[in-house]
Amino acid sequence: MFQRMPPAVFTPIMGVFGLGLAWRRATDTFSAPGAIGELILGAVTLLYLFSLAAYAMKFMQRSGTFIEDLRVLPGRAGLAAMVLSGYLLSATVEPFSLVLAGAILLLTFAAHVLLALRVIHMLITGPVEARIVTPVWHLLFAGFVLIPLAAVPLGWVGFAEAGFWGGFFAAAIIWGASAAQFLRTRIPPPLRPLLAIHLAPASVLGTGAYLLDETELALVFSVTAIVILSILIGRIRWLLKAGFSPLWGALTFPLAAFGSLMQLGAVVNGSDILRIVAGASLVAATLIILPILYKVVQMWTKGELAVKTNAAMA
């Protein structure tokens, strides 16, 4: 059972975690019913835990499947999302148990460090062709920017600042390398949805800056996120030219992160314009993220997802 569990399913799961947290924040921003966010978070937590158990069963049947999944882009993105979702799970359970939230945060951080080190080893020892910078690198090396979302409510400010700045420098390097690479190479249509991941670090960094009371810095990241999103929207037909694929999961968590950032900016700055943008982005994210998750999970249940993402078999 679960011999070919596809890690690509974790990518939209991470997006739904972000969507649930955005709806939870909407309780303060728009006086939205708190049940909406909690319902989404409860449902996606169950799906996440089930998917974790499924991948653990695959790993126990043959441990080499983990390395094989890391070698392909959809698998690498999925495994990164699997780990990073732990940060969002920590933020999800924080209102109910600080101890559990802290334990999940530390466990996720340890898993994230190990995953990043394993990928670095693969890049160093593997072929030169495999060292091409991709947006998935944001998840692997800049994903530490998610730490403040869980650490600040726990009072772990030092840990939050370390994750924030470490993730920021990694994201800056990846943005620069990606821009230089974009100018000299042509991106195949099937891989273009991954470009949406560039929006995620800017949005999460902005949220983290607000949580750390760095308001001016948060505004810089907010403008950066708005610029990146505007470019993506302006090139949407080019971005999605290949049609639906499991890589559309890369659209989910950046949209959710952007919606949360706009909400926080509207509250902190008392801006009606940001409030309108926040409301529109939350509605758009909901209408985009949930159907993508449904479609990807449907592909999983039919056995199509593993084939299309070249998932390893135990």
Side-chain angles (χ1 to χ4, degrees):
M1 190 176 183
F2 301 118
Q3 276 189 309
R4 205 178 183 187
M5 192 279 175
V9 74
F10 289 103
T11 312
I13 286 177
M14 182 180 172
V16 177
F17 262 121
L19 179 65
L21 292 173
W23 272 105
R24 176 185 281 177
R25 192 176 300 280
T27 303
D28 297 326
T29 310
F30 306 112
S31 299
I36 298 178
E38 301 308 319
L39 180 63
I40 294 174
L41 290 171
V44 75
T45 296
L46 292 176
L47 178 58
Y48 176 60
L49 294 177
F50 173 78
S51 301
L52 272 180
Y55 196 81
M57 292 176 66
K58 170 181 170 178
F59 179 80
M60 287 187 292
Q61 292 177 71
R62 188 169 70 86
S63 60
T65 56
F66 179 77
I67 300 301
E68 292 174 14
D69 281 330
L70 273 181
R71 290 196 179 106
V72 296
L73 195 58
R76 185 174 295 182
L79 290 175
M82 177 182 75
V83 173
L84 296 187
S85 293
Y87 292 127
L88 304 181
L89 177 61
S90 175
T92 296
V93 304
E94 182 268 332
F96 309 103
S97 173
L98 295 178
V99 174
L100 181 58
I104 294 173
L105 175 57
L106 293 177
L107 181 62
T108 300
F109 175 70
H112 189 185
V113 170
L114 291 175
L115 178 64
L117 291 175
R118 190 68 186 87
V119 173
I120 290 174
H121 179 267
M122 290 178 64
L123 293 174
I124 293 174
T125 59
V128 177
E129 296 78 12
R131 300 173 193 171
I132 297 175
V133 178
T134 71
V136 175
W137 283 29
H138 279 303
L139 302 180
L140 294 164
F141 307 122
F144 298 102
V145 296
L146 288 169
I147 290 176
L149 275 62
V152 171
L154 292 172
W156 300 358
V157 179
F159 186 34
E161 290 178 342
F164 177 88
W165 289 110
F168 164 70
F169 287 118
I173 293 172
I174 296 168
W175 276 325
S178 297
Q181 187 171 278
F182 181 80
L183 295 175
R184 64 174 185 267
T185 59
R186 179 182 178 276
I187 301 176
L191 298 181
R192 291 174 187 171
L194 293 175
L195 293 173
I197 297 177
H198 287 300
L199 174 63
S203 300
V204 179
L205 282 166
T207 300
Y210 276 126
L211 294 175
L212 293 169
D213 294 325
E214 298 286 350
T215 305
E216 293 182 358
L217 190 58
L219 290 174
V220 172
F221 288 124
S222 297
V223 172
T224 303
I226 291 173
V227 170
I228 294 174
L229 181 61
S230 299
I231 294 173
L232 292 173
I233 293 175
R235 301 297 303 276
I236 192 68
R237 293 183 63 182
W238 175 85
L239 195 70
L240 305 179
K241 184 178 180 180
F244 183 83
S245 76
L247 292 183
W248 278 37
L251 305 174
T252 59
F253 50 88
L255 291 174
F258 181 81
S260 289
L261 172 60
M262 291 298 104
Q263 287 189 61
L264 200 52
V267 172
V268 173
N269 299 294
S271 171
D272 290 334
I273 295 177
L274 284 180
R275 194 178 298 274
I276 294 172
V277 174
S281 61
L282 180 61
V283 172
T286 304
L287 295 176
I288 294 172
I289 294 172
L290 293 180
I292 290 177
L293 175 69
Y294 173 78
K295 183 66 175 177
V296 171
V297 171
Q298 186 181 54
M299 292 174 68
W300 179 20
T301 59
K302 291 181 177 179
E304 300 173 358
L305 186 60
V307 176
K308 291 190 176 183
T309 60
N310 198 22
M313 180 177 289

